[in-house]
């Protein structure tokens, strides 16, 4: 029963990360003009690439704990960034531009929901994969 449930978590998490990747890739050019040492558009492209890689890794190697941890961190970083920059004006710091944007719009909302789903399901997948891994270990002699 655990294997089909893990596959379901893999698919849901990968789909949510794919949505995140698409939205960030689609919006990246819009934010190229928000710059410091690095542009917000470039950061969006990095998020899109990380989310796409995490989704792909879940499909091909979703039994590995490291893959689940990577997917969780990508999703958590995405949702943390969107919430912080929605509600807190941090200003520019270091190489990062001022990305404060105190509004919600459709793509931003879709991305945030997808990231939240991916974070929750990636954490659940990590815990389930860890449990399956422990169950497969032979008992100590």
């Amino acid at each position: 029963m655990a294997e089909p449930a893990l596959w379901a978590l893999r698919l849901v998490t990968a789909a949510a990360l794919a949505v995140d990747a698409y939205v960030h890739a689609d919006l990246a050019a819009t934010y190229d003009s928000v710059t410091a040492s690095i542009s917000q558009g470039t950061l969006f492209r990095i998020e899109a690439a990380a989310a796409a890689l995490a989704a792909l890794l879940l499909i091909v190697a979703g039994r590995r704990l490291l893959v689940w941890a990577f997917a969780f961190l990508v999703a958590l970083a995405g949702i943390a960034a969107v919430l912080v920059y929605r509600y807190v004006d941090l200003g520019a710091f270091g190489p990062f531009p001022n990305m404060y944007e105190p509004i919600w719009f459709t793509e931003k909302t879709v991305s945030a929901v997808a990231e939240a789903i991916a974070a929750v399901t990636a954490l659940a997948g990590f815990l389930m994969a860890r449990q399956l891994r422990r169950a497969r270990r032979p008992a100590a002699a």
Side-chain angles (χ1 to χ4, degrees):
M1 180 63 180
E3 290 290 334
L6 187 61
W7 257 108
L9 286 172
R10 286 166 79 170
L11 293 176
V12 170
T13 308
L17 288 165
V19 168
D20 178 35
Y22 172 80
V23 170
H24 279 86
D26 188 52
L27 291 175
T30 306
Y31 291 98
D32 280 337
S33 62
V34 181
T35 63
S37 295
I38 189 168
S39 77
Q40 187 172 348
T42 299
L43 293 171
F44 271 40
R45 288 180 187 90
I46 291 168
E47 171 66 18
L53 177 60
L56 178 64
L57 288 172
L58 279 170
I59 298 303
V60 298
R63 297 177 89 190
R64 297 181 183 268
L65 294 178
L66 190 58
V67 169
W68 284 105
F70 178 64
F72 175 70
L73 290 175
V74 168
L76 187 63
I79 191 66
V82 76
L83 291 174
V84 166
Y85 285 109
R86 163 57 179 90
Y87 294 107
V88 181
D89 186 356
L90 296 176
F93 63 94
F96 301 103
N98 183 0
M99 296 187 287
Y100 179 61
E101 188 175 48
I103 59 167
W104 285 105
F105 53 92
T106 303
E107 295 91 345
K108 188 179 201 175
T109 304
V110 167
S111 175
V113 169
E115 290 161 347
I117 290 168
V120 170
T121 57
L123 180 59
F126 177 87
L127 295 173
M128 185 176 287
R130 186 177 69 173
Q131 187 64 30
L132 285 170
R133 186 178 193 180
R134 286 182 180 168
R136 284 190 198 103
R137 284 191 187 144

